[in-house]
């Protein structure tokens, strides 16, 4: 690495250039922004003093690693960051040998690094391993587990504690008072060095040298400023955590979007699902004083910031601590409250056991509002919410649902809070439908779907976002003479068995469509029902293939997976023909005739 | 509560009587033992000074709460503890108003208690809330998340830190050095009181009073001795964590079982699955130096203690920290090792996200050995391992398997380590089959099942333990003239599509049997495959119903769920008749005829 041939005084120039490049790139393409500006000097110092990639740098999450990407041969690539043909916004082993361990969710770096330290010890590779963890990610339980184990092992784990006082939002917890950091790390058996100024290379270089020279598990406490070197981001690092393209000189947005923000907002006037959820939750909470809201360090992303403005004393931000969020909610619910946990689908995976053990087993009335269900596009495989139907519907006592529009969202939320039961509802990233909002929430009985279109040849079952896909598919099929019923299943669990079985009997052919993995999800639930109740009915599942989906553009990704009206319609025609081969023997011209050819 | 009418000097007598009762009960019926002996005085002091159940006592896990059960009206019930008609071995809200929050998995108490404190503040109930957490459970990440949040909230959370130097095994982590406890809690923003002697009521009563009087989040550090007051348990508290019935005077076992242990051992000469796993892992590790083993504070329960005797430097006990265990393994695997994580099925739920995000997404060669798959009996709903096929098979890149006997266990373990891929294998609690062990592991190709019996009327598909059920079912069906194929699917993922589809085509009727929940599991996987490849084949799933199964006796529980040969055979006959109604119209005498009536 050329960097290592420079003299120390030259590193200031490198850092300044790197920061200027990051600002330029951020201004042109957006992306995670403020975090990486805060780690410029740290990144330079670490790569200067370590022999990467032989030595291992393990970044946490990846929000702060754009500088690392730039220094390790991916500067040009950053102009396409998070695009299908560009690098990931996070860390990926496939992307570069300098990405020693992939990331995306918070708090994994110390565990992974500890494993690598042990592996290096066993192989005598001499590789040094440094984990860089933010004070936000350090609120996650697994980072504590790893530090505690490191204290026990006593091996040469090196940790940089990147303390900027923020997770995405301002940081949470007793630990976030930096004067307490020494006590925390020393209590777990680590040697503590610091705090030092993370923008002063004259402190950083000796600090990192001391870290590398220290025997046994050691932490270097580095104070950094999120957004450092770009005044608008320093002034509002929360808003600038991620950004749309902006004018460098002013920080003003280049497009019509909101300044310095990358919120998933709706296009063409439709609100985002997040915003619709926030509004619905506020209305539900206005009617029911038992409702309180919980976020795990994502007040902005989940819309809980809006709720908090209306009900500051009914809002909890627990930090990056999904496990605690869920069991804390269970404790509230056990005493008569109706907590709503707003957690991204992918992050609720962290609390799977707590949903089972603390909420569902005790039948406590906690509502889980899962934003970012389905594919999320640019954030890629660590952030897609495509396992939730499957991992939630296997849990006894838990209701699992998905709204097709904003009114159903409020109706489900109201039903959830009123039900007195564990209840999950899940909605996508991005723009909702833009329907007119009803003054009262819809009364949506638990386990009841809705027939949106009647047709005797085939039944199309959608859930949440794919109800729209089913409707459009039915129109396309109608053009080919196939009459399709369309059902909004609304509940993955309990399924509307009566409606689905009646439709299965009526049509003989059931097609399910979901923005979810193909194993164990909605389609699988329908299969189980039909195998039991209407055996030998033909069922066809449209869902995502059994592999992780990269970052990219959502619409294109669904099309590639065949979860778009054109693909489903074409597949349905082929499938129906394969089940009824006789009509296929007719001349091809016959395919253009009006009227059903199936049943 | 009568206790509260006593004078303080009388509490010593209460404590001594309570301990004597616990020893008597333990000696007669066994159960979790040493933990509760260590908390006798603490239990008395807390119930004496608190107004339970109005004030809330939140115990962690429940291993140490037998004294609490005895003091709250369940002394007689403890003679049937963990039996179908007796109380749970853990905490359950349904069981008593004094069980403020259910438990079974470690580390939940502080989160739940914090929710209750907030609820009490909102309702002005005046209820005080005390969480009691052991130093073992305090190594779990979620307890840290909760303490950190408590430090931020500043509300009147009271925590008793029950420090006996043990989880089940001797405790792990820097934190376990008690002199560091003050630094830990203070770093998170809690007021620290202690340490005090937890067997001296003259220290305990003022200590608890000080805890209750302290404003804001406060922890009382209580040092206790696991097994206190019973010499054999004090001498070996690890062994006496749970026990079989024993002679009070000597500690010797009443039956032929091992003294002072409740290990899941095999009956009739067959080894336990745990023991078979330990032996197999040792043999695999002897052949492959890359293999290392990881346990999360369960060296005994998982058999890793045996492995550790053979390979002390290739064993890690990370504490009650399943999340870290998995990502630590991923770090080891990223550097060329082949870690085997031995974690109970139910506890791996804690690390679901890490399996997805750190192992499977990066295709790292970590092997998950899940003991206690299926129903576990006495430990009840928090401990059954009946969701694992479902939550694991939805994860891309992960292989999911289950052995039908000890040789398959070793074969799968060898295949897992050799595969270089993420790989899970799952086996039950209790006695294995007792087969002769082969000198070399069986070569078990990934995704290949095995035909164990051929018959053209119906195919019976088993996995793991239910392969035996399928074989016996086939014999019963043969007696009724129905010829069944029996297939050991061996892999839930990837399924042996070729074999299963060929069998489905050949028989037209597929019956799946699994010791797992009915939603999303093995049967569901088979349904998905057949719906796609052999549409309109009749498939019948035998699995557990969609509810939590209580504690009780395993064989009876499987029978109640219909997962025993007699039930499956009877159901299969009924089902085949319902699919082929014509033969049913024959005279009933015809049902006794030889030969198949189906196909």
């Amino acid at each position: 690495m050329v960097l290592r041939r420079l003299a120390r005084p030259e590193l200031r120039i490198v850092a300044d250039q790197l920061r200027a490049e990051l600002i330029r790139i951020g201004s042109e393409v957006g992306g995670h922004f403020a975090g990486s500006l805060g780690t410029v000097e740290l990144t330079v110092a670490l790569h200067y003093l370590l022999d990467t990639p032989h030595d291992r740098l393990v970044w946490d999450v990846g929000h702060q690693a754009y500088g690392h990407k730039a220094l390790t041969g991916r500067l040009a690539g950053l102009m396409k960051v998070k695009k299908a043909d560009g690098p990931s916004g996070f860390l990926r082993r496939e992307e570069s040998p300098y990405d020693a361990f992939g990331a995306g969710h918070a708090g994994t770096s110390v565990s992974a690094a500890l494993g690598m330290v042990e592996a290096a010890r066993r192989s005598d590779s001499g590789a040094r391993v440094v984990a860089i963890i933010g004070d936000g990610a350090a609120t996650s339980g697994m980072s504590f587990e790893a530090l505690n184990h490191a204290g026990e092992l006593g091996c040469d784990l090196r940790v940089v504690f990147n303390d900027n006082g923020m997770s995405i939002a301002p940081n949470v917890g007793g630990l976030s008072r930096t004067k307490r950091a020494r006590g925390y790390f020393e209590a777990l058996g680590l040697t503590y060095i610091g705090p030092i100024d993370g923008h002063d290379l004259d402190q950083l270089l000796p600090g990192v040298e001391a870290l590398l020279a220290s025997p046994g598990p050691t932490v270097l406490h580095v104070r950094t400023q999120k957004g450092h070197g770009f005044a608008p981001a320093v002034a509002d690092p929360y808003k600038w955590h991620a950004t749309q393209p902006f004018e460098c000189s002013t920080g003003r947005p280049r497009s019509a979007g909101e300044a310095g923000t990358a919120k998933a907002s709706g296009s063409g006037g439709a609100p985002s699902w997040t915003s619709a959820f926030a509004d619905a939750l506020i209305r539900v909470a206005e009617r029911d004083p038992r409702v309180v809201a919980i976020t795990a360090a994502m007040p902005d992303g989940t819309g809980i910031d809006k709720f908090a403005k209306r009900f500051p004393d009914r809002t909890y931000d627990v930090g990056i601590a999904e496990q605690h969020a869920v069991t804390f909610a269970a404790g509230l619910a056990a005493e008569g409250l109706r907590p709503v946990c707003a957690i991204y689908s992918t992050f609720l995976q962290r609390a799977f056991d707590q949903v089972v053990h603390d909420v569902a087993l005790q039948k406590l009335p906690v509502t889980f509002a899962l934003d970012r269900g389905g594919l999320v596009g640019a954030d890629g495989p660590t952030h897609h919410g495509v396992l939730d139907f499957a991992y939630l519907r296997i849990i006894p006592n838990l209701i699992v649902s998905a709204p097709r529009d904003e009114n159903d969202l409020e109706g489900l939320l109201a039903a959830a809070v009123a039900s007195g039961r564990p209840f999950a509802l899940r909605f996508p990233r991005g723009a909702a439908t833009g329907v007119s909002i009803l003054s009262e929430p819809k009364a949506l009985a638990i386990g009841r779907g809705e027939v949106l279109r009647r047709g005797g040849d085939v039944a199309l079952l959608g859930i949440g976002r794919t109800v729209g896909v089913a409707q459009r598919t039915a129109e396309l099929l109608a053009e080919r003479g196939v009459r399709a019923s369309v059902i909004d299943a609304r509940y993955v669990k309990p399924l509307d068995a009566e409606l689905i079985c009646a439709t299965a009997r009526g049509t003989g052919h059931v097609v399910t469509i979901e923005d979810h993995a193909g194993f164990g999800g909605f389609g699988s639930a329908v299969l189980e029902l039909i195998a039991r109740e209407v055996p030998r009915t033909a069922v066809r599942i449209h869902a995502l293939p059994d592999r992780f989906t990269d970052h990219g553009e959502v619409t294109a990704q669904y099309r590639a997976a065949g979860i778009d009206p054109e693909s489903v319609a074409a597949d349905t025609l082929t499938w129906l023909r394969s089940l009824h081969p006789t009509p296929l023997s007719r001349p091809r011209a016959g395919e253009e005739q009006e009227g059903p050819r199936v049943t």
Side-chain angles (χ1 to χ4, degrees), chain A:
Chain A
M1 190 178 266
V2 176
L3 180 72
R4 286 180 207 125
R5 292 192 219 128
L6 302 178
R8 292 192 175 203
E10 297 175 286
L11 296 181
R12 182 70 259 162
I13 302 164
V14 173
D16 291 344
Q17 286 177 340
L18 179 56
R19 177 169 284 112
E21 285 293 336
L22 293 180
I23 293 171
R24 181 183 64 78
I25 291 165
S27 79
E28 295 195 18
V29 300
H32 287 112
F33 183 70
S36 289
L37 290 186
T39 55
V40 164
E41 289 80 8
L42 179 61
T43 305
V44 170
L46 287 168
H47 278 294
Y48 185 73
L49 293 172
L50 287 168
D51 180 24
T52 54
H54 176 69
D55 288 338
R56 308 297 200 211
L57 267 191
V58 185
W59 294 90
D60 210 287
V61 190
H63 289 157
Q64 73 294 60
Y66 282 27
H68 160 80
K69 293 202 178 207
L71 278 190
T72 54
R74 286 169 282 176
L75 177 62
L78 284 174
M79 290 299 289
K80 295 198 233 173
V81 67
K82 296 184 169 204
K83 301 270 191 301
D85 56 347
S88 160
F90 301 96
L91 283 316
R92 297 194 69 169
R93 279 162 49 88
E94 311 92 296
E95 201 176 289
S96 165
Y98 290 91
D99 289 5
F101 200 82
H105 293 190
T108 65
S109 63
V110 185
S111 291
L114 192 61
M116 291 174 164
V117 170
E118 279 296 293
R121 181 180 69 77
R122 290 174 184 285
S123 71
D124 269 332
S125 72
R128 296 170 295 182
V129 185
V130 178
I132 305 106
I133 185 166
D135 56 322
T139 63
S140 72
M142 71 177 296
S143 68
F144 160 78
E145 293 177 349
L147 291 167
N148 189 45
H149 186 213
E152 167 91 6
L153 282 176
C155 59
D156 294 339
L157 172 75
R158 277 80 182 223
V159 178
V160 173
F161 181 53
N162 172 31
D163 172 16
N164 61 19
M166 306 280 291
S167 53
I168 291 175
N171 200 12
V172 163
L175 180 60
S176 71
R177 327 271 161 91
T178 54
K179 61 179 186 235
R180 291 181 181 151
R182 175 190 288 271
Y184 175 65
F185 291 110
E186 289 185 347
L188 301 183
L190 280 79
T191 301
Y192 173 90
I193 303 171
I196 62 171
D197 178 347
H199 302 300
D200 180 354
L201 285 162
D202 292 335
Q203 291 188 45
L204 260 179
L205 292 166
V208 172
E209 283 172 325
L211 175 69
L212 297 177
S214 171
T218 305
V219 60
L220 172 66
H221 184 168
V222 176
R223 282 188 175 144
T224 61
Q225 185 181 43
K226 202 164 173 175
H228 190 78
F230 186 67
V234 171
D236 193 348
Y238 178 30
K239 192 170 130 186
W240 284 84
H241 171 72
T243 182
Q244 302 283 5
F246 57 87
E247 298 290 344
C248 270
S249 53
T250 61
R252 291 210 190 96
R254 285 176 188 265
S255 66
E258 199 182 336
T261 178
K263 278 182 201 170
S265 61
S267 57
S272 70
W273 280 102
T274 306
S275 167
F277 164 70
D279 294 342
L281 182 60
I282 288 168
R283 287 191 293 270
V284 169
E286 279 167 346
R287 295 185 195 102
D288 190 333
R290 298 171 301 176
V291 172
V292 295
I294 297 170
T295 174
M298 303 287 285
D300 180 24
T302 58
I304 293 301
D305 53 354
K306 207 166 176 181
F307 182 89
K309 277 189 193 136
R310 175 74 181 79
F311 296 112
D313 187 48
R314 290 163 69 179
T315 308
Y316 295 96
D317 181 349
V318 303
I320 303 179
E322 291 82 7
Q323 301 189 96
H324 165 63
V326 170
T327 305
F328 175 64
L332 288 160
E335 302 293 345
L337 293 167
R338 292 290 159 93
V340 176
C341 276
I343 298 181
Y344 286 7
S345 167
T346 186
F347 297 144
L348 191 63
Q349 292 170 191
R350 275 278 170 91
F352 173 59
D353 186 52
Q354 286 76 14
V355 178
V356 176
H357 177 274
D358 297 310
V359 176
L361 174 56
Q362 304 194 91
K363 297 194 190 86
L364 291 172
V366 176
T367 298
F368 300 100
L370 281 66
D371 200 328
R372 272 54 165 187
L375 294 176
V376 298
D379 279 341
T382 55
H383 282 58
H384 298 310
V386 297
L387 302 178
D388 48 10
F389 288 155
Y391 75 75
L392 291 174
R393 80 177 184 88
I394 62 177
I395 304 174
N397 300 335
L398 181 65
I399 296 161
V400 184
S401 68
R404 71 167 183 268
D405 65 23
E406 297 89 315
N407 287 317
D408 271 23
L409 173 59
E410 185 169 347
L412 286 172
L413 203 49
V417 167
S419 71
R421 294 181 53 182
F423 201 120
L425 54 113
R426 176 256 214 196
F427 45 90
R429 185 181 194 282
T433 66
V435 290
S436 307
I437 301 298
L438 303 171
S439 58
E440 290 287 316
K442 284 167 81 172
L444 297 179
I446 291 170
R448 288 284 165 225
E450 188 177 343
V451 179
L452 300 179
R453 179 184 181 120
R454 289 181 196 279
D457 298 333
V458 62
L460 305 176
L461 274 57
I463 179 83
R465 164 162 43 187
T466 58
V467 174
V469 178
Q471 288 178 301
R472 179 72 192 125
T473 300
E475 290 165 10
L476 294 174
L477 288 174
E479 292 169 11
R480 305 295 300 271
V482 173
R483 296 164 309 189
S485 290
V486 173
I487 291 177
D488 175 5
R490 193 172 284 134
Y491 290 86
V492 174
K493 181 181 182 179
L495 284 175
D496 190 336
E498 198 180 320
L499 174 61
I500 292 172
C501 291
T503 312
R505 285 190 191 95
T507 63
H509 311 99
V510 174
V511 172
T512 67
I513 316 169
E514 66 198 292
D515 53 347
H516 182 278
F519 286 170
F522 168 61
S524 193
V526 171
L527 268 181
E528 291 161 8
L529 171 69
I530 289 182
R532 196 170 60 240
E533 301 296 334
V534 200
R536 297 198 283 205
T537 304
V539 180
R540 181 84 168 165
I541 295 177
H542 290 271
L544 294 166
D546 179 40
R547 53 181 167 73
F548 289 99
T549 302
D550 272 349
H551 58 280
E553 197 278 314
V554 167
T555 310
Q557 291 182 321
Y558 281 126
R559 198 176 307 121
I563 310 176
D564 62 291
E566 292 72 21
S567 303
V568 176
D571 179 88
T572 302
L573 289 171
T574 308
W575 179 63
L576 291 174
R577 278 188 210 115
S578 76
L579 294 169
H580 303 276
T582 320
L584 270 190
S585 60
R586 292 179 193 169
R588 288 200 59 178
E591 288 182 35
E592 308 302 323
Q593 291 170 359
E594 276 281 300
R597 282 183 311 284
V598 194
T599 67

